Amino acid sequence: MRIVMMGTGPFAVPTFEALIESDHEVVCLFTQPLRPTRGKRPAPPTPMRDVATKHGLPIYDPESINTDDARAILREQEADLLVVCDYGQILSNESLALAKLGGINLHGSILPKYRGAAPVNWAVYNGDEETGVTVIHMTPKLDGGPCLKVVRTPIEPTETAVELEPRLALLGVPAVLESIALLEENGGESLVGEPQDPSLVSKAPRLKKTDADIDWTMSAQQIYNQFRAFQPWPGCYTHLSRGDKPPLRLILAEISLLSTPADASVKPGCIAAATADQLQIAANGGRIVVHKLQPAGKKVMEAAEFVRGYQPKVGDAFLSESQL
């Protein structure tokens, strides 16, 4: 089967490599254009481009796959199937029609749950105990086609999105290969797969910087889930109130969850312990233990170093941006 791969992010790499090594013919890669960086920031990695270059495959990066020029390039490939994963663009009916069997998409959730750009992050943020991957037969409606294959996996209690995503990417490889076999056997003569239940749809919108702001009225578990979900970006930050001084912005670089009995003497968001080797922040249903943090304009430091240098006291409050 002649396959056009469409992908940009690292989630797509294991599937791309597996397709290249399979009996199918991968003819090219469509990916997002390279974006200029600001200042002296290094260019972001382009793992999909690296794989394509390694194997001598043509790379196409139109601003939109749905323009006449992009469709002309796609038409020239004479593809049997489009395989889409972590691409970043939605294909129109006209674009999908340029492959004999249309397209399939590998998505990092159990659809119809978490349709959108950041399914792995929002599953962790919401404290889900299970997630997975779904391969759908594509329609122009975002993640809305029938499901060809679903693979489930538990989310470990301390697992971050950074750790979970590559696990899901590997789970997707056999799911994609099996889905291609289903379509190949069917030959496009009829619809394949299970329709998605519209009543179960939930959204996984693209992450924003403001998602990193900690609301200390949430439970300790919710705050810990927020930290796990938003690594490495947008991370988690808060502000330490310092009396007459301006609040100090802090990025929490490494934390853990400590379950404790309710302690009415320390309000949520206030320091519960600040010793030579530990910084604990009270929260509903537990405490957040800070191991590493980064004051604004400074390097990441151990909590003990922060306590020695800034001398926070029990009862000092951490604030969200809405409280400043």
Side-chain angles (χ1 to χ4, degrees):
M1 187 177 290
R2 285 177 63 84
I3 291 175
V4 167
M5 183 74 201
M6 294 183 170
T8 302
F11 190 74
V13 168
T15 291
F16 191 22
E17 292 177 330
L19 288 172
I20 291 171
E21 297 299 326
S22 73
D23 293 334
H24 302 293
E25 181 185 3
V26 181
V27 295
C28 67
L29 169 68
F30 276 75
T31 191
Q32 290 278 63
L34 295 172
R35 309 295 183 189
T37 59
R38 294 180 181 178
K40 297 181 180 180
R41 288 192 300 177
T46 57
M48 289 294 283
R49 290 175 181 268
D50 293 343
V51 173
T53 300
K54 175 183 175 181
H55 293 277
L57 294 175
I59 299 172
Y60 303 104
D61 55 2
E63 285 287 346
S64 171
I65 188 61
N66 299 315
T67 63
D68 289 341
D69 288 345
R71 282 197 288 263
I73 297 171
L74 185 55
R75 185 178 293 107
E76 292 172 356
Q77 310 309 315
E78 298 181 342
D80 296 310
L81 183 68
L82 311 177
V83 175
V84 184
C85 178
D86 202 4
Y87 180 32
Q89 297 193 35
I90 301 172
L91 279 73
S92 67
N93 271 323
E94 293 81 2
S95 299
L96 286 168
L98 296 177
K100 293 177 183 177
L101 298 176
I104 61 172
N105 175 248
L106 173 64
H107 189 74
S109 76
I110 303 172
L111 289 172
K113 197 171 186 180
Y114 299 124
R115 291 183 183 176
V120 179
N121 305 88
W122 290 111
V124 175
Y125 178 86
N126 288 323
D128 290 4
E129 295 181 354
E130 181 184 61
T131 188
V133 295
T134 305
V135 181
I136 63 170
H137 202 179
M138 292 173 65
T139 72
K141 186 176 180 181
L142 179 62
D143 304 332
C147 301
L148 298 170
K149 187 73 178 177
V150 177
V151 182
R152 299 171 183 267
T153 186
I155 301 176
E156 299 300 327
T158 61
E159 194 168 23
T160 66
V162 172
E163 295 164 338
L164 178 58
E165 186 166 307
R167 283 211 300 117
L168 294 178
L170 292 176
L171 284 179
V173 171
V176 167
L177 295 176
E178 291 172 25
S179 297
I180 293 173
L182 285 173
L183 292 177
E184 200 169 24
E185 182 180 351
N186 177 269
E189 295 181 3
S190 61
L191 288 175
V192 183
E194 292 293 325
Q196 297 186 41
D197 183 346
S199 69
L200 300 178
V201 170
S202 62
K203 301 296 185 182
R206 193 174 302 279
L207 301 180
K208 310 183 299 296
K209 286 184 179 180
T210 53
D211 292 327
D213 187 19
I214 298 175
D215 176 3
W216 292 98
T217 66
M218 297 194 302
S219 72
Q221 183 67 61
Q222 287 173 314
I223 294 168
Y224 183 54
N225 291 345
Q226 179 184 12
F227 174 83
R228 293 165 54 222
F230 298 151
Q231 300 301 314
W233 191 90
C236 275
Y237 66 84
T238 188
H239 295 79
L240 176 62
S241 177
R242 298 188 296 170
D244 295 337
K245 296 181 180 179
L248 176 64
R249 190 179 190 274
L250 296 165
I251 296 173
L252 303 189
E254 183 180 326
I255 70 173
S256 60
L257 176 65
L258 178 64
S259 297
T260 63
D263 184 357
S265 65
V266 184
K267 295 181 180 180
C270 293
I271 294 176
T275 65
D277 59 354
Q278 203 166 72
L279 178 63
Q280 296 183 12
I281 308 171
N284 291 307
R287 293 180 180 180
I288 298 300
V289 182
V290 181
H291 303 285
K292 294 181 181 180
L293 69 172
Q294 182 178 11
K298 304 292 184 179
K299 63 179 179 65
V300 175
M301 61 180 64
E302 299 285 342
E305 182 183 358
F306 175 80
V307 170
R308 288 196 302 271
Y310 289 84
Q311 298 183 336
K313 302 177 183 63
V314 171
D316 286 353
F318 288 91
L319 310 173
S320 66
E321 286 194 334
S322 64
Q323 296 174 296
L324 297 179

